[in-house]
Amino acid sequence: MKNLNFYLPTRVIFGKGRISELSENLKDYKKILIVSGKSSFKKSGAYDKIKAQLKDKKLVYFSDVKENPDFPTLKKGSEIARKEKVELIMGVGGGSPMDAAKGIALLSTNEGDMKDYMKGKEVKKRPLPIVCIPTTSGTGSEVTPYAVFTDPVSKDKGGFANPGIFPIFSIIDPELTYSMPDEVLINTGIDALTHALEAYLSTKATPFNDVISIHAIEIIMGNLKDALKRDKEAMDRISYASMIAGIAITNAGTLLLHAMGYPLTVFHGIPHGKANAILLPAFLDFMRENSSVKEKVELLDGIFEEYGGIVKFLKEFNISTRLSENGIKEEEIKVFVEKTITKKNLKITPAKITKEDLYELYKGTF
Ligand code: NAP
Ligand code: FE
């Protein structure tokens, strides 16, 4: 049998209304930095619920996190954390604030820039403890040792992994996602779908992780449409599935699809989940033809077939899988290829991938 590694030190507190259990889990901490986006913190209801519970704590707010957090944001946040001598960093919001909280926690105890740690600089000191509270249902950042950051100078986006940035606990309260705009609900739901699917196809996949991945895929395929109709039970299920898909990528990572999606976000501001969605059919075609896990791709095809196929499923959410219909020009492909080929995600994709392959893959989606 194949070897199995499993490490997930995050305590998961999942369920409707369970944000009410925040205070009892924070008994050991007095000074907390809350990292959030500009509006979702209040719109989601998280601000009121957290403030009411943590009256006995010193709360410091850093609400400057924009979508796809960049290095300067992490620096700013960590300077505040150091100055205020906070003991814990709490990320409240979508993947952007949760990832930012992870980067800030790391830079609060370790000198230097995130850019260097992304390039492999050793993380010498334990990051400050992290708590995550998601308000979207997609990234799974609440249960991963990953964070995704953007370098505004080199115009590059990529993932960072370190066991020190696993949250100590996360509260996944689906009620906090009810205020998501339709687009955010769709994009993040499909991000979660791609997490499960990529983990399933990964060279790091195991039979145990495959069960988790397929479980998440079936829930998302079966519930995303009803979630968009604001069926609360369906929305709760997507929250659950995105967390499960997060566990799947903690074990097996994301693949070529995520790497190919990053330039769409960096150069065109296309939201992360949507970028993955646009490229998903082309990625599956490539894997069907070139991967060493063709039987797994067939199994996925079988699941998607129940919904009329993946292209039809995405169309129902108004997602065009043509790059030309998403504002991208063919002459940009070369730059996208150069960015994508460097990503670690390719190493765990079970196919040989050349620059020519990448060029053809992007081009095939025009
Ligand atoms: P996001 O960038 O955090 O947020 C997208 C938008 O949704 C923002 O405008 C945000 O508002 C708004 N929003 C969030 N929750 C809301 C709510 N409940 N009600 C109303 N508006 C709400 O979106 P995301 O897709 O969750 O995160 C994307 C980031 O996560 C990307 O950088 C991606 O690369 C990363 N990611 C990380 C992992 C990981 O394992 N760490 C995995 C996949 C993706 P505000 O701006 O006001 O917050
Ligand atoms: Fe993702």
Side-chain angles (χ1 to χ4, degrees), residues 32-33 35 81 86-91 101 104-105 108 128-131:
I32 298 168
L33 178 73
V35 177
V86 300
E87 302 153 342
L88 181 136
I89 313 284
M90 192 188 299
I104 291 168
S108 300
L128 284 181
I130 299 155
V131 168

Side-chain angles (χ1 to χ4, degrees), residues 138-140 148 188 190-192 194-195 198 249 254 258 262 272-273 276:
T139 69
V148 185
T188 59
I190 293 172
D191 186 26
T194 59
H195 292 163
E198 288 172 77
I249 58 170
T254 57
H258 262 66
Y262 292 145
H272 170 67
N276 293 334

